[in-house]
Amino acid sequence: MLSESKKSGSPPRPPPSEDISRDDVRAQREAKKLAKAARKNKSFKGKLANPPTSTSENEHPVVPYPAQKSLKTGTTSRALEVKPAEANPSSQSVSIGVSADLLKSDSSSPSVIHSLFKPKKGKELAQSNVSKLYPPFYNVGLKVRNNVIRGANSQCVKLLDAIKDYVRCYDVPPGTTFKHGLFADLEGNMENLKTVCSFSISMSNAVQFLLFYLHNMPDDDGKVIDFKNEILDVIDQYIVEKIEKAVEAIVLYGLEKINEGDKIMVYSITEALMSLLVKAAEDGISYELILIQTRETKVELADVLEKLKKPTSDQTVRVSAVNFSSALYKIRSCSKLLMGGHGLFTNGGVMAQSGSGQLALVADTYNKPVVFLCETFKFCDRSPLDFLPLEEYMPEQFQTEDDFLEPKLIYDVTPSNLVTVVITDIDMLPSNGLAATLRVQEGSTPAKL
Amino acid sequence: MANASKESQYIILLQQLEISLKRGRYVRSHELATRTLRLAEKYVQSDSWKNAEEVMQWLENTADRLTKAAVSESAPSNVLKRLIKTVQEDFMTRKNQGRMHTISRLDSDTKVDYSEELPDLRSDILGAILDLSSELENGAESIAEDAEKHINANEVIMTIGRSRTVEAFLKRAAKINKLEVIIVKCGPFYQGKDLAKSLTKSKIKTTLINDTAAFSMMSRVDKIVIGTHTVLANGGLKAIAGCHQILLTAKYFNVPVLVLAASYKLSPEYPFSAEMKITNRFVSPEELIDYKDGDMIDNVQVYAPVFDYVPPELVSLFIFNMYVSTTLN
């Protein structure tokens, strides 16, 4: 401590008592200034920038801090580097107090969980592009976004209808062929539409199919009207084959799985699932239905009851509803868990409404079969391990003023080992086998999304 | 006159407690336990009993009465049953004064006659009640003392629903380490939001998710810390609805589970039957179905149970608030 004055060659020290008090006050003032600056800058860089100014004010050099370092832990010593080292124990205690304060105010490191939900770069909503969007597309986009059109199949159909309208009214711009012009304009429109509402897998697959088809169309300049008719026919065929007939096929396969007297637990209701339930009731199979409800799916329950009005009233189908939290309460008495899927992946994962992974796990624990119903056009050449790589998982999030994050997760991915079987329009398959079957059948690899 | 008023005091308290339980004005277990303890104190202070046997009889009867009033709330009877044990032990201590104090064993041959009148038993029991009530008050803090042992820096903790014990625990841990909390809001009450607001005030980074999303988020969670309504005799829990599923998911992802429970939550109740039926209660399912869909709901049964049974193998660690008491088996 005494070596200090010898090293610096500073003027002779005044009597110790006065020195202590002055140093004390100075140290406190310094410490307060630094704390304020650190809170402003919120980074260690800011702190390191400060020492030159502080040491210039104070004539005491920064020497004895190695001795001080040994006293304190590694974290506080970093903050101490910055402070002018004082020889007095009282000021030392002041600096300790302040450094702890600095540590607390260092909330600059982002939350691990919050950063999961930050919108990915470039995918934020862009307002300016909406004006370039064809109005019926915008119409569909708004309806999808506000959940007026519910259900992946109906969203897809409505979008394709809007595309048909677009194609009908399309005028080839000068300097380009019909095919190229339509391709570019349609692609541009779809990109813009993605900023209005997020596409479900069914919608993006349909658009991708159409663009692929356009790309492969022969290049010669025939009559525009012929091209247009061809495209309209293709779209109609897609709708009939991939959506309407697929649902019928699924219902046929699914009927094998619903037996008399079954107790079926149902979640993630899609059109295919709904049609299956209605058909089974119409065929006179008497079963019991247990609907899993969450706050978000109130409307769907009303839909289901509406469709099943006749069977429920004459007691062919007995319906009960349970809160999601209490699904376990009922699973033991059920014979199977039936869910509608929104998308299928290469690794066998099935995308469905958020919560289906949980229910699949619960059913698996109690050894009940987990059956997904999914049309093949919803197959997606991706292998997400959980919900985060999915762009569709969360259209908007919600951050209240209180600074806690409340994300709205809409979909999740059920891993393939929890899925017993997926009923598709081709066949009933274990979820792993789906990718291979599709490739063999179509003879082409779907393009990477 | 003073005696009569003391007697009527405890009778009045008992009636009030019983009525509020019957009417379904359910409050926190903590409050129920405090009220029951106060009731027991009033009884012991009064002159309605002469010996230990009468006290224990009264305690048992009251426990039965309160359980009948509200089958799903076990806090009152837990407290009273613990008092019975305390009375037994105090009696033995008094009796064996000067000799070695032995905790009564199951295989002890001597049949104890509790109807002996011991003069200082009253003050002993009152002292024990005082101990119990201070234990009750400080329950949350003493559990929170363990916070630094179990939570390390930069961990992501998941909690379910709103438990005040967990709140104190997390706030205590946050003073020492940075941590993040994910709160799962569960039906039928969805109280998670209040907890989120309270935690953000203490500068803890909070995320609030639905119970449906728990499966998706579980892989990012380091630990789960939950409170519970009751701890059953086999080590299982009676916790809020949704806990079992989420803890199953935790097991699937190998996430350790800590359960915080104050001593008044320990119950000698076993879950009955192989299907693990527990004394449950059901509330209005208005969160699930709107009243306006009423005509369609004619043929639909809607259930909204409040509690869930969690088997003991899903829990990694229990943290209790007991440090000294030996009265609990």
Side-chain angles (χ1 to χ4, degrees):
Chain A
M1 313 285 189
L2 289 175
S3 60
E4 239 188 291
S5 43
K6 283 191 191 158
K7 274 202 179 177
S8 62
S10 51
R13 283 163 156 264
S17 52
E18 282 177 57
D19 194 26
I20 292 172
S21 56
R22 222 188 300 146
D23 289 350
D24 217 1
V25 168
R26 217 177 272 148
Q28 281 177 357
R29 228 185 289 150
E30 235 75 274
K32 273 191 200 146
K33 227 185 276 172
L34 282 173
K36 202 176 174 189
R39 250 178 277 137
K40 262 197 210 158
N41 296 336
K42 275 197 174 179
S43 62
F44 281 122
K45 275 194 190 160
K47 277 189 223 161
L48 288 174
N50 287 326
T53 52
S54 55
T55 45
S56 60
E57 278 185 83
N58 198 345
E59 283 175 349
H60 297 280
V62 195
V63 169
Y65 78 76
Q68 290 177 356
K69 239 190 196 169
S70 60
L71 291 172
K72 294 166 192 68
T73 63
T75 44
T76 50
S77 70
R78 182 129 186 235
L80 274 175
E81 273 173 18
V82 168
K83 293 195 196 14
E86 300 294 334
N88 304 323
S90 51
S91 57
Q92 270 182 19
S93 60
V94 167
S95 55
I96 295 173
V98 174
S99 59
D101 221 10
L102 282 173
L103 279 177
K104 261 195 216 165
S105 67
D106 179 33
S107 52
S108 57
S109 54
S111 148
V112 169
I113 302 293
H114 287 193
S115 51
L116 284 178
F117 292 107
K118 279 214 182 74
K120 299 192 180 112
K121 293 202 178 111
K123 302 250 194 264
E124 292 96 353
L125 287 180
Q127 250 338 88
S128 56
N129 290 337
V130 172
S131 52
K132 295 185 198 153
L133 196 58
Y134 185 59
F137 286 152
Y138 186 57
N139 217 337
V140 171
L142 278 183
K143 285 189 184 159
V144 167
R145 179 158 147 191
N146 296 326
N147 233 9
V148 173
I149 308 179
R150 264 173 284 111
N153 286 0
S154 35
Q155 284 173 355
C156 185
V157 169
K158 287 277 178 337
L159 178 63
L160 286 175
D161 282 342
I163 292 181
K164 280 204 297 196
D165 196 35
Y166 183 75
V167 167
R168 259 184 237 121
C169 312
Y170 187 66
D171 280 328
V172 185
T176 171
T177 60
F178 175 76
K179 178 185 113 166
H180 287 118
L182 183 59
F183 186 89
D185 281 332
L186 195 58
E187 200 178 28
N189 264 303
M190 287 299 114
E191 287 304 317
N192 287 341
L193 186 54
K194 281 191 183 152
T195 63
V196 175
C197 73
S198 71
F199 274 22
S200 61
I201 284 191
S202 52
M203 289 161 78
S204 17
N205 278 0
V207 168
Q208 204 192 12
F209 161 79
L210 194 58
L211 291 176
F212 187 68
Y213 183 82
L214 266 181
H215 187 69
N216 290 342
M217 264 171 66
D219 222 356
D220 37 61
D221 288 274
K223 283 221 195 120
V224 170
I225 189 84
D226 284 338
F227 276 139
K228 283 193 183 180
N229 283 337
E230 190 183 335
I231 293 176
L232 293 177
D233 281 340
V234 161
I235 294 181
D236 279 332
Q237 193 191 16
Y238 186 84
I239 293 181
V240 170
E241 243 184 45
K242 298 282 183 178
I243 303 180
E244 291 173 13
K245 291 293 174 192
V247 171
E248 281 177 37
I250 290 179
V251 169
L252 273 177
Y253 282 122
L255 280 174
E256 292 175 34
K257 294 294 177 193
I258 299 187
N259 306 312
E260 182 79 27
D262 256 353
K263 251 189 175 182
I264 308 173
M265 185 178 275
V266 160
Y267 188 61
S268 183
I269 299 180
T270 59
E271 188 185 331
L273 184 54
M274 201 61 249
S275 318
L276 175 60
L277 293 175
V278 171
K279 186 81 175 33
E282 281 173 13
D283 281 354
I285 304 178
S286 168
Y287 60 90
E288 201 175 314
L289 202 60
I290 299 178
L291 293 166
I292 303 293
Q293 271 301 101
T294 60
R295 274 206 296 198
E296 287 80 28
T297 60
K298 260 195 227 187
V299 193
E300 286 173 19
L301 177 64
D303 271 346
V304 170
L305 289 176
E306 184 65 47
K307 294 221 169 82
L308 287 176
K309 203 166 194 161
K310 191 173 158 306
T312 40
S313 50
D314 57 25
Q315 291 295 309
T316 334
V317 177
R318 287 180 302 286
V319 182
S320 47
V322 186
N323 203 0
F324 184 83
S325 316
S326 325
L328 219 119
Y329 184 69
K330 282 287 186 180
I331 190 74
R332 289 177 135 251
S333 53
C334 292
S335 50
K336 52 178 74 79
L337 173 64
L338 215 57
M339 296 197 271
H342 288 271
L344 296 169
F345 300 118
T346 342
N347 64 344
V350 183
M351 171 167 141
Q353 200 170 39
S354 174
S356 26
Q358 175 100 85
L359 283 179
L361 179 62
V362 165
D364 201 53
T365 316
Y366 288 93
N367 291 319
K368 310 287 174 187
V370 176
V371 180
F372 273 97
L373 303 176
C374 200
E375 299 87 341
T376 46
F377 84 101
K378 290 178 183 163
F379 176 78
C380 204
D381 198 13
R382 288 187 273 179
S383 317
L385 292 170
D386 59 17
F387 68 100
L388 286 169
L390 304 177
E391 290 167 8
E392 306 87 353
Y393 75 87
M394 185 190 61
E396 42 190 77
Q397 34 159 311
F398 188 73
Q399 186 149 10
T400 64
E401 333 75 49
D402 298 324
D403 206 29
F404 62 82
L405 195 61
E406 195 177 340
K408 267 196 180 144
L409 299 177
I410 309 246
Y411 297 117
D412 80 6
V413 179
T414 310
S416 62
N417 59 331
L418 295 175
V419 178
T420 318
V421 76
V422 180
I423 301 183
T424 66
D425 38 321
I426 320 176
D427 203 350
M428 293 193 267
L429 303 162
S431 54
N432 288 325
L434 202 56
T437 320
L438 276 175
R439 298 244 171 85
V440 166
Q441 195 198 38
E442 287 180 19
S444 65
T445 54
K448 248 201 168 114
L449 256 183
Chain B
M1 277 313 284
N3 285 347
S5 66
K6 267 201 191 142
E7 215 173 276
S8 49
Q9 260 181 24
Y10 81 78
I11 291 179
I12 290 173
L13 275 181
L14 177 55
Q15 278 177 347
Q16 281 177 346
L17 191 54
E18 210 179 352
I19 288 176
S20 69
L21 281 176
K22 274 189 184 162
R23 283 201 184 144
R25 292 209 197 105
Y26 295 107
V27 293
R28 291 180 56 207
S29 304
H30 185 248
E31 192 182 317
L32 282 178
T34 328
R35 280 169 77 173
T36 318
L37 212 52
R38 224 182 306 146
L39 159 68
E41 191 180 0
K42 285 278 179 305
Y43 173 78
V44 173
Q45 281 172 345
S46 77
D47 274 339
S48 337
W49 57 280
K50 291 194 280 301
N51 53 32
E53 190 166 345
E54 286 187 21
V55 179
M56 295 199 293
Q57 196 59 45
W58 182 87
L59 285 174
E60 222 172 289
N61 288 344
T62 319
D64 280 339
R65 218 170 128 176
L66 291 176
T67 313
K68 274 212 189 72
V71 184
S72 64
E73 297 299 322
S74 54
S77 71
N78 294 346
V79 168
L80 291 174
K81 289 195 175 132
R82 193 157 160 206
L83 263 182
I84 294 179
K85 195 90 182 74
T86 319
V87 167
Q88 278 180 349
E89 287 211 356
D90 281 340
F91 183 84
M92 294 306 293
T93 321
R94 274 284 153 192
K95 197 157 175 230
N96 301 338
Q97 201 134 43
R99 286 176 267 163
M100 283 281 288
H101 170 68
T102 51
I103 303 176
S104 63
R105 293 154 40 124
L106 282 172
D107 60 347
S108 59
D109 291 333
T110 53
K111 212 172 175 308
V112 189
D113 180 19
Y114 288 107
S115 54
E116 243 183 80
E117 287 203 23
L118 294 179
D120 294 320
L121 195 57
R122 180 172 268 126
S123 55
D124 271 351
I125 301 181
L126 282 176
I129 293 183
L130 206 62
D131 280 339
L132 251 186
S133 63
S134 65
E135 198 185 297
L136 261 181
E137 274 172 34
N138 302 327
E141 284 101 62
S142 35
I143 293 179
E145 273 168 18
D146 275 351
E148 46 223 61
K149 270 193 252 164
H150 296 285
I151 299 191
N152 309 310
N154 288 324
E155 280 198 336
V156 178
I157 314 275
M158 180 184 266
T159 182
I160 305 175
R162 183 182 187 181
S163 161
R164 284 153 196 86
T165 324
V166 172
E167 196 176 331
F169 191 85
L170 291 176
K171 282 185 178 166
R172 179 69 176 264
K175 287 199 186 124
I176 302 161
N177 287 317
K178 257 194 306 200
L179 52 79
E180 286 179 42
V181 177
I182 300 180
I183 303 176
V184 182
K185 46 180 166 141
C186 276
F189 297 123
Y190 296 104
Q191 281 180 334
K193 204 160 194 174
D194 300 326
L195 180 59
K197 289 200 184 130
S198 158
L199 286 180
T200 32
K201 283 208 188 83
S202 314
K203 304 263 181 302
I204 302 179
K205 299 195 184 80
T206 323
T207 314
L208 191 59
I209 60 171
N210 259 332
D211 44 2
T212 48
F215 186 81
S216 322
M217 297 297 293
M218 189 61 71
S219 49
R220 283 159 190 81
V221 175
D222 291 314
K223 285 195 176 72
I224 298 191
V225 176
I226 56 172
T228 170
H229 181 266
T230 315
V231 178
L232 301 167
N234 67 339
L237 306 177
K238 190 157 112 179
I240 68 168
C243 267
H244 191 166
Q245 299 181 128
I246 299 177
L247 295 191
L248 262 181
T249 319
K251 182 129 204 208
Y252 183 73
F253 285 97
N254 276 321
V255 176
V257 177
L258 269 73
V259 175
L260 311 178
S263 56
Y264 62 89
K265 294 191 174 169
L266 288 155
S267 160
E269 206 177 274
Y270 275 95
F272 353 110
S273 96
E275 290 213 337
M276 297 175 294
K277 290 200 177 69
I278 46 170
T279 47
N280 213 334
R281 76 170 195 265
F282 295 82
V283 291
S284 153
E286 56 187 338
E287 292 281 330
L288 306 183
I289 298 191
D290 276 329
Y291 284 113
K292 65 175 159 66
D293 296 326
D295 54 345
M296 283 191 276
I297 312 290
D298 270 351
N299 300 311
V300 182
Q301 301 260 23
V302 186
Y303 300 94
V306 175
F307 297 119
D308 229 353
Y309 170 71
V310 178
E313 47 268 8
L314 294 180
V315 177
S316 315
L317 188 66
F318 279 102
I319 300 184
F320 296 118
N321 67 335
M322 288 182 302
Y323 31 87
V324 191
S325 165
T326 55
T327 57
L328 206 63
N329 262 352

